[in-house]
Amino acid sequence: PATLGFVASPRVGQPASDPALVCRSQASSKALLDWIVANGAPKQAVTLKSVERGGRQIDVTVADRALKAGDIALRVPENLIVTLAQIFECGDASELLTTNKLSELAVLTLYLCYEKKKGKDSAIYPFIKELDRQAARGSQGAKSPLLWGVEDLELLTGSPVVGEIEERLHGIHREYEELDLVWVMGSALFRNYPFEMPTEQFPFEVFLQAFAAIQAATVHLQGVEPSMRFALVPLGPPLLTYSSMSKALIKYDETSKEVQLAVDRDYEPGDEIVAWCGPQPNRRLLLNYGVVDDNNPYDKMAVTITIPNNNDDLFRLKRSIVSSESLKLSTNQTFQLSASKPIPEHLLPYLRLAFAGSQEECERVNFQDDDAIVSTENEQLVLSALMAHIQNRLDRYLTSMDQDETIITNPDSTARQVVAAKLLRAEKAILLESLGCVADRAMKGSTVGMLSQEAYRGVKIA
């Protein structure tokens, strides 16, 4: 049943480097490339190469010839990409479905599940077979943590991604329970399938496997109709390697009716082709694609501060200040710590306002100057509380950065262990940088100290 969910694995005891596996990989890759050309695509400047990642054999898109920056490496005709527009041949139908508690990904997943059951009779069989081969793995060899077991999820202890995984799983389960609605509303499409209704045909575990595989393979096209925003593109992800630093973007070209990728650098034959994945933090990359980018400039850690509502004049004053036209903040405000901005704009003034104990202190808060303290006591509260919060978050991790580094460089580590260690290392680096910047301020002013719970005055930092 697992193969219905686009998840395939080597037989027990069969190593990823087994010649039989490599041979099957080459056959699958050739079938996909031949299918693309046979269905009207021009000869591609890319091909597929089988590589071993984390003990698994996966395919990656590589240059088939030398490429210069600006060359179009990937050209896939519109008739070969899978979108809601192609599935329903009617934008209204797809829009109707996705406004009834169902995401585009859920509908795409259901469609591909039924197409998978058609076997070789499916018009997109070679594409589905390649998705099967990838087994929902990203270019670093790891699956989305949506499919990890309890023991593997413990590798992520301390990271906010754990809560995001749980939230995403709950969301997928809610959508699964709505799938029969798609069957009814999309009867013109699904009557072509001689199978049972979705929840009778596919157990939740199978649908989840398929959802993770489709999620990892989906391209978000810009500047197109809503029914084409989410697209499955042959030779695109997960075969294509994502990079946060790349400037190459997969685009839809209206003139040629193709999805194209123009490369942003020179390539030699056999080099892995990379594309921009959008401004996503590493935990989102891991959750969606099973990858972590060591050089991700968009990585960040959220800090949420809540100004307590004591239903008094002081709270109303604080609320009026943060919600002013110049700030447009709220009394429950999230700030993003990052490598480039360890102490983001407005964080310190906001905390000074949150801890202000009088109208005079509130009015002395200056959001235009991070160095403008309100009072020595207020500054001690602000810096000590922020340091305690960051240190508490660091203490939640089960490993040190040195241990993370050992896992990453150990050739015996699994792909999941490596991506988990990379994520934790990146998160800790941000938190440690922020902690250092706050500590420097505290030591200069000799304002560091331990705080009792009462000293927080109801202010929450999460």
Side-chain angles (χ1 to χ4, degrees):
T3 56
L4 291 177
F6 306 100
V7 178
S9 301
R11 292 189 299 271
V12 175
Q14 189 176 21
S17 56
D18 187 289
L21 280 178
V22 175
C23 184
R24 285 203 295 273
S25 168
Q26 293 171 344
S28 176
S29 301
K30 184 178 186 303
L32 178 64
L33 293 166
D34 290 347
W35 172 74
I36 292 173
V37 173
N39 282 273
K43 179 173 172 51
Q44 303 295 312
V46 298
T47 189
L48 295 178
K49 180 170 73 173
S50 182
V51 297
E52 187 175 336
R53 298 277 164 81
R56 298 282 184 174
Q57 203 76 24
I58 64 170
D59 291 338
V60 293
T61 301
V62 300
D64 194 36
R65 57 177 173 80
L67 296 170
K68 295 294 184 182
D71 287 350
I72 298 177
L74 184 67
R75 295 178 59 189
V76 181
E78 183 177 339
N79 64 297
L80 292 183
I81 66 173
V82 180
T83 66
L84 295 190
Q86 274 72 26
I87 293 173
F88 293 103
E89 299 179 353
C90 172
D92 292 339
S94 61
E95 202 169 316
L96 181 64
L97 289 171
T98 54
T99 53
N100 282 271
K101 303 180 182 178
L102 290 167
S103 68
E104 290 93 336
L105 287 179
V107 178
L108 286 172
T109 299
L110 183 59
Y111 170 73
L112 267 292
C113 279
Y114 278 115
E115 282 294 311
K116 164 71 177 178
K117 283 193 68 65
K118 291 172 65 175
K120 293 183 179 181
D121 291 335
S122 171
I124 56 173
Y125 172 74
F127 186 22
I128 293 175
K129 189 174 178 63
E130 185 60 35
L131 289 176
D132 259 347
R133 253 198 48 72
Q134 290 302 101
R137 290 181 175 84
S139 58
Q140 295 173 359
K143 296 180 182 179
S144 164
L146 291 174
L147 302 178
W148 292 14
V150 174
E151 186 175 337
D152 286 326
L153 286 174
E154 289 179 355
L155 298 170
L156 300 169
T157 298
S159 171
V161 77
V162 175
E164 294 178 10
I165 293 169
E166 294 175 355
E167 184 179 349
R168 183 73 62 86
L169 286 171
H170 286 309
I172 296 171
H173 200 279
R174 284 194 299 270
E175 291 197 297
Y176 174 77
E177 293 176 341
E178 297 286 341
L179 287 181
D180 290 347
L181 175 67
V182 182
W183 180 277
V184 175
M185 296 176 63
S187 58
L189 167 71
F190 293 112
R191 69 186 177 198
N192 297 321
Y193 296 111
F195 309 121
E196 301 294 334
M197 293 180 70
T199 57
E200 296 178 13
Q201 185 69 64
F202 307 108
F204 174 70
E205 291 73 17
V206 169
F207 181 77
L208 175 61
Q209 291 171 345
F211 188 98
I214 299 306
Q215 175 180 261
T218 299
V219 174
H220 298 256
L221 297 177
Q222 305 296 317
V224 296
E225 294 295 320
S227 58
M228 289 184 64
R229 288 179 306 178
F230 293 79
L232 299 174
V233 181
L235 299 181
L239 304 171
L240 197 65
T241 302
Y242 271 146
S243 167
S244 301
M245 300 293 286
S246 175
K247 292 181 174 59
L249 183 64
I250 301 174
K251 298 179 180 179
Y252 177 74
D253 181 66
E254 181 65 38
T255 303
S256 63
K257 304 294 182 183
E258 293 177 340
V259 170
Q260 301 178 347
L261 175 68
V263 295
D264 64 341
R265 65 195 73 175
D266 295 348
Y267 288 91
E268 293 299 322
D271 289 348
E272 288 188 34
I273 303 293
V274 298
W276 189 50
C277 51
Q280 302 184 62
N282 273 325
R283 64 181 183 279
R284 190 62 57 81
L285 292 179
L286 179 61
L287 183 57
N288 291 340
Y289 312 113
V291 301
V292 173
D293 191 338
D294 293 329
N295 303 305
N296 189 349
Y298 306 102
D299 209 12
K300 54 192 178 183
M301 297 289 284
V303 173
T304 300
I305 302 164
T306 303
I307 298 175
N309 182 358
N310 299 320
N311 198 28
D312 57 12
D313 291 341
L314 203 56
F315 171 76
R316 286 188 281 273
L317 175 59
K318 293 178 181 181
R319 182 176 59 189
S320 68
I321 292 173
V322 298
S323 62
S324 65
E325 188 64 27
S326 59
L327 294 176
K328 296 182 179 178
L329 304 176
S330 74
T331 55
N332 184 54
Q333 185 65 39
T334 297
F335 298 88
Q336 301 292 346
L337 311 180
S338 65
S340 60
K341 291 185 178 181
I343 303 179
E345 184 182 24
H346 298 327
L347 172 59
L348 292 179
Y350 190 95
L351 276 170
R352 289 172 186 138
L353 181 66
F355 282 111
S358 67
Q359 179 177 336
E360 181 183 5
E361 285 193 337
C362 289
E363 292 172 346
R364 291 183 63 183
V365 174
N366 185 351
F367 276 87
Q368 307 307 314
D369 185 359
D370 281 354
D371 296 323
I373 70 171
V374 170
S375 68
T376 301
E377 179 187 6
N378 177 275
E379 196 69 3
Q380 179 178 0
L381 287 172
V382 166
L383 299 181
S384 298
L386 188 53
M387 288 177 62
H389 168 74
I390 297 174
Q391 186 61 59
N392 181 55
R393 289 177 65 165
L394 286 166
D395 291 343
R396 296 174 193 168
Y397 294 108
L398 301 180
T399 56
S400 65
M401 288 188 71
D402 287 342
Q403 290 172 319
D404 295 334
E405 192 65 38
T406 298
I407 293 170
I408 293 166
T409 56
N410 184 351
D412 294 327
S413 295
T414 66
R416 296 181 190 186
Q417 290 172 330
V418 171
V419 293
K422 284 187 173 184
L423 177 71
L424 301 192
R425 181 181 64 178
E427 291 181 352
K428 293 169 194 172
I430 291 174
L431 292 173
L432 285 169
E433 180 67 20
S434 296
L435 182 62
C437 290
V438 179
D440 286 345
R441 284 178 171 271
M443 295 306 292
K444 288 176 183 177
S446 300
T447 55
V448 66
M450 297 293 292
L451 294 182
S452 64
Q453 194 61 40
E454 292 76 16
Y456 279 86
R457 300 174 184 170
V459 175
K460 294 181 181 179
I461 308 178

